[in-house]
Amino acid sequence: MANALYLSEHFSELWQGKNPFEEVENITGDVYRELDGRTTLRFELNGKGYFLKIHRGVGWKEIFKNLVQLRLPVLGAENEWKAIDKLKSINVDTMTYVAYGKQGNNPAKQLSFIITEDLAGCISLEDYFLGMPVEDRGDAKAEGLISKLAESVKVMHQHGVNHRDLYICHFLFDPKKTESEQTLHVIDLHRAQIREKVPYRWLVKDVASVIYSMKEVCASNDQISTFTRLYNKGSGNQFWAAVMKKSDALLAKVI
């Protein structure tokens, strides 16, 4: 497992003559998530915001657990780095990375990191819906965002990318932009998978997760229909029956 390092011009100048893997460990900021082996934090540098994810190795126990469950384990930041490049290549809006590194040959102890630009001023689709009265959630702006959501998910899947945590909280947009200017950024890509073709079960999981999270914020039936109509690229009734069954099961867990 080869080591890797990418630094934008700014970070290359900032860390000239220094060890980037030591530098990221010294970064402090607002911690958003702290899990075994992974830390996500926001920090500022010269007045600009960034997000840092550090992966410190998941351990052999976690690797074997995933393999037994027929899942590929997430070993570090490489997944997110590759997924960002892939999404940009197919014109799906996402994050912009400014630094990435991977070090170590032992997959259980591999150290890796990725730094992305903060999407300043953006909010999630989930927060947008929850921040307005239920009766206003079917306005034209919301409909436009649902259309962009469907298009983003469809293009991702058509090009072999599945997210694995595809909830509307992972789609960000700038509420100050007009509908014609609007973009929808996919984030939190550390579990994303890239293949020639997305397997059926992962298509079902991704789409069911979107619909479940729409239902959770009381999106209207018309909006869910808008999503399914625009996403639908020849998917049959069996697919949609499986999607709705899974989305209802997810919803039942939180009720």
Side-chain angles (χ1 to χ4, degrees):
M1 303 182 71
N3 294 342
L5 182 65
Y6 164 82
L7 300 176
S8 66
E9 183 178 354
H10 177 62
F11 278 86
S12 182
E13 292 175 357
L14 182 70
W15 291 342
Q16 187 174 8
K18 300 177 181 179
N19 183 336
F21 295 92
E22 293 177 359
E23 292 303 307
V24 295
E25 291 285 10
N26 293 326
I27 292 175
T28 58
D30 298 322
V31 176
Y32 275 59
R33 190 167 299 167
E34 186 86 58
L35 301 171
D36 288 344
R38 187 174 89 242
T39 301
T40 303
L41 62 85
R42 183 188 182 278
F43 69 98
E44 291 194 1
L45 186 64
N46 299 328
K48 187 170 183 178
Y50 299 92
F51 275 89
L52 164 66
K53 282 187 184 177
I54 305 178
H55 299 254
R56 298 183 179 88
V58 296
W60 285 113
K61 181 179 178 181
E62 182 68 16
I63 290 174
F64 287 133
K65 184 182 81 171
N66 277 268
L67 292 175
V68 167
Q69 295 173 345
L70 302 180
R71 296 177 178 176
L72 288 176
V74 177
L75 301 178
E78 184 175 13
N79 265 29
E80 195 142 33
W81 176 58
K82 288 183 174 180
I84 290 171
D85 275 345
K86 178 66 175 180
L87 293 188
K88 285 183 177 291
S89 76
I90 58 176
N91 297 316
V92 173
D93 291 302
T94 183
M95 304 165 285
T96 297
Y97 61 77
V98 293
Y100 161 73
K102 180 179 71 170
Q103 179 177 262
N105 294 320
N106 183 338
K109 296 182 178 180
Q110 181 188 97
L111 175 64
S112 62
F113 69 87
I114 187 166
I115 298 175
T116 56
E117 294 179 350
D118 182 13
L119 291 165
C122 289
I123 63 172
S124 73
L125 274 181
E126 179 182 64
D127 288 340
Y128 173 70
F129 275 96
L130 291 176
M132 67 170 71
V134 173
E135 60 269 20
D136 293 339
R137 294 180 189 178
D139 65 9
K141 184 173 183 178
E143 286 293 318
L145 290 166
I146 295 299
S147 297
K148 289 182 182 295
L149 172 66
E151 182 64 22
S152 295
V153 177
K154 179 175 71 173
V155 173
M156 285 170 57
H157 287 169
Q158 285 176 335
H159 289 85
V161 182
N162 62 288
H163 189 286
R164 295 174 70 190
D165 284 312
L166 200 61
Y167 307 106
I168 61 172
C169 62
H170 292 148
F171 288 86
L172 305 187
F173 74 100
D174 186 343
K176 296 187 293 295
K177 288 185 177 180
T178 64
E179 187 174 345
S180 62
E181 299 172 323
Q182 199 55 258
T183 53
L184 201 58
H185 302 268
V186 189
I187 66 166
D188 216 7
L189 294 161
H190 68 277
R191 298 182 69 213
Q193 297 172 326
I194 304 171
R195 306 177 178 85
E196 285 294 316
K197 183 179 180 181
V198 179
Y200 176 83
R201 77 183 185 101
W202 289 112
L203 289 176
V204 169
K205 183 181 187 302
D206 265 8
V207 177
S209 297
V210 172
I211 292 176
Y212 149 73
S213 57
M214 289 175 67
K215 290 178 178 178
E216 201 176 31
V217 298
C218 300
S220 68
N221 289 333
D222 285 345
Q223 288 170 333
I224 292 172
S225 295
T226 295
F227 175 86
T228 58
R229 174 174 53 82
L230 294 177
Y231 172 86
N232 193 352
K233 54 183 189 304
S235 305
N237 292 336
Q238 182 180 357
F239 172 79
W240 287 110
V243 165
M244 295 306 174
K245 181 179 179 180
K246 189 166 186 65
S247 69
D248 288 343
L250 289 169
L251 195 61
K253 288 182 179 180
V254 298
I255 294 177

